Amino acid sequence: MSINKAYFEEIMNVCLDILNNLEVEDKEFRIKNIQRVYNKMLIDEEPDREFYSLMHEIKSYEFINKFGKAVLKNDEKHEEGPDIKFGNNQIECVCCSMGGILNDGYKDCSINYLTQNSAIIDYNETKKYLLPRITSSIKDKEEKINNYIDKNIIEKDESTIIFIHLGELNIDFFPGKYGIELLEVLIGKGDLALTFDRNITKYTNAFFTEIDVILKKKQERIITIPSKFFNSKNKNISGILFSKANPIEKYNLENTFIFINPYAVNQLQIKDFKNIIYWKLNTRKEYVPMKNGINRSKDIQYKLI
């Protein structure tokens, strides 16, 4: 598989621009590291997950700096701990990897691997590869954060956030308004259901069903894995930051959202992230999108015919 050189150069230039305009202690080390991985991709003629991870960390740092002074971990000194420190928030970045899905049939469900000019892709099949990869990435970082807490690298009263981007899987994921589709992994959001009243011959209500598992496709087999990452066992994670941005785009308030874990020991202080769209559990036990304390559910409501 060859790579689109112009595309990856554009991604690299976006991140080099960020590095050159922000205070970064190990700036030269990071620039050399990016160029090393980029050159490796040119030789191997295939994308490298490390490239996406490096880009995600830099763009995440710039995004967090929009809310106030943040500190990026010094990778050159091999400092242990989360990637970004912002106020009382410890932020660990993660970019989804392919894992073994290329050998499990993912190529048949991915835009990236289309060989014909046009094709019909069953997105329900695609999700059987994507959602497990998202779950795996979040779980890996949760374990890492728990380890930092055990070592007192993260203080007991600090909020912890996992900042996720899908990397090269991003092109195949349709996140929906405010990243609503991530709720399949976080709280078990199922399919849209409609209530039809025969007496008045109209739909009277729309709601999402609840699921306890998501489906993972492994070659010809279907495996079930738990949904609902937000639960009492994962109480050390205060929230999830998610960006749906195209890899060539910077993160901003239009493409990046926060999901607050209602079970968290240390609740995320949303005032630290002014004007961001955030999802939280309201007093009616509904998990809804908010902005500056105002419910934005109306933005994603489905019109009933």
Side-chain angles (χ1 to χ4, degrees):
M1 179 183 180
S2 61
I3 67 169
N4 185 332
K5 183 178 179 181
Y7 173 72
F8 283 101
E9 277 188 355
E10 187 171 358
I11 299 173
M12 183 171 66
N13 289 335
V14 167
C15 292
L16 291 178
D17 178 65
I18 293 172
L19 283 172
N20 287 322
N21 286 282
L22 284 178
E23 182 180 331
V24 180
E25 190 174 330
D26 58 347
K27 181 180 299 186
E28 292 305 317
F29 173 81
R30 287 179 180 272
I31 290 173
K32 290 178 181 178
N33 208 18
I34 291 170
Q35 292 172 334
R36 173 188 61 79
V37 178
Y38 174 69
N39 290 332
K40 179 178 181 295
M41 289 197 303
L42 293 181
I43 294 170
D44 295 343
E45 295 189 331
E46 62 180 11
D48 191 308
R49 176 182 177 255
E50 187 179 1
F51 183 82
Y52 286 102
S53 294
L54 292 171
M55 301 303 104
H56 174 49
E57 195 170 301
I58 293 164
K59 290 195 286 185
S60 298
Y61 177 57
E62 183 203 37
F63 179 73
I64 298 300
N65 264 281
K66 296 179 187 295
F67 303 105
K69 176 65 175 176
V71 178
L72 186 63
K73 181 181 68 175
N74 191 320
D75 281 353
E76 186 175 18
K77 293 181 179 179
H78 303 289
E79 292 178 347
E80 191 174 11
D83 299 304
I84 301 168
K85 166 76 172 172
F86 168 56
N88 199 51
N89 305 289
Q90 294 276 12
I91 303 168
E92 182 71 12
C93 299
V94 63
C95 207
C96 291
S97 69
M98 286 283 189
I101 62 176
L102 286 181
N103 298 320
D104 291 331
Y106 174 64
K107 289 182 180 181
D108 296 331
C109 303
S110 171
I111 297 171
N112 262 334
Y113 293 91
L114 280 180
T115 55
Q116 57 268 61
N117 292 330
S118 65
I120 296 174
I121 293 177
D122 185 346
Y123 186 58
N124 288 316
E125 291 299 306
T126 307
K127 287 200 301 181
K128 292 173 186 175
Y129 298 101
L130 298 180
L131 297 185
R133 294 311 305 154
I134 295 171
T135 301
S136 176
S137 296
I138 293 174
K139 287 294 293 180
D140 286 348
K141 289 301 181 179
E142 184 231 356
E143 292 176 8
K144 201 168 187 179
I145 285 171
N146 286 337
N147 184 48
Y148 291 150
I149 293 172
D150 290 341
K151 291 182 176 180
N152 294 318
I153 294 171
I154 294 177
E155 301 295 333
K156 298 294 184 183
D157 64 344
E158 288 184 308
S159 298
T160 62
I161 301 169
I162 297 171
F163 197 155
I164 187 169
H165 187 270
L166 268 67
E168 61 183 312
L169 300 176
N170 189 70
I171 191 172
D172 288 320
F173 186 59
F174 296 90
K177 190 75 170 179
Y178 306 144
I180 186 174
E181 296 307 316
L182 200 67
L183 298 184
E184 290 195 47
V185 169
L186 299 180
I187 65 169
K189 179 191 80 67
D191 295 326
L192 178 69
L194 302 174
T195 302
F196 183 78
D197 190 330
R198 290 182 178 276
N199 294 320
I200 58 175
T201 63
K202 286 186 177 180
Y203 291 103
T204 57
N205 189 27
F207 60 95
F208 290 104
T209 59
E210 185 177 355
I211 57 174
D212 293 316
V213 297
I214 57 178
L215 303 180
K216 175 181 179 179
K217 192 162 187 179
K218 190 168 180 64
Q219 296 180 356
E220 298 303 316
R221 294 184 296 138
I222 298 295
I223 301 168
T224 59
I225 60 176
S227 61
K228 301 180 183 177
F229 174 78
F230 286 161
N231 59 55
S232 57
K233 292 181 180 179
N234 298 331
K235 60 186 179 180
N236 287 334
I237 306 302
S238 304
I240 304 291
L241 263 165
F242 164 70
S243 182
K244 66 175 186 177
N246 185 296
I248 63 175
E249 296 177 321
K250 292 184 177 182
Y251 301 163
N252 57 50
L253 295 174
E254 299 298 318
N255 59 32
T256 306
F257 319 102
I258 291 182
F259 300 81
I260 298 175
N261 184 1
Y263 296 92
V265 173
N266 297 320
Q267 282 294 310
L268 193 151
Q269 299 300 306
I270 204 62
K271 63 180 176 59
D272 293 341
F273 301 89
K274 188 177 179 181
N275 293 324
I276 199 169
I277 296 287
Y278 59 95
W279 290 78
K280 69 171 293 185
L281 196 69
N282 65 14
T283 55
R284 297 172 59 183
K285 302 298 182 182
E286 299 168 327
Y287 199 71
V288 297
M290 310 276 289
K291 183 177 181 181
N292 296 325
I294 299 173
N295 189 330
R296 301 297 295 267
S297 294
K298 67 181 189 310
D299 297 342
I300 56 174
Q301 285 179 346
Y302 291 83
K303 292 183 179 179
L304 300 179
I305 301 174

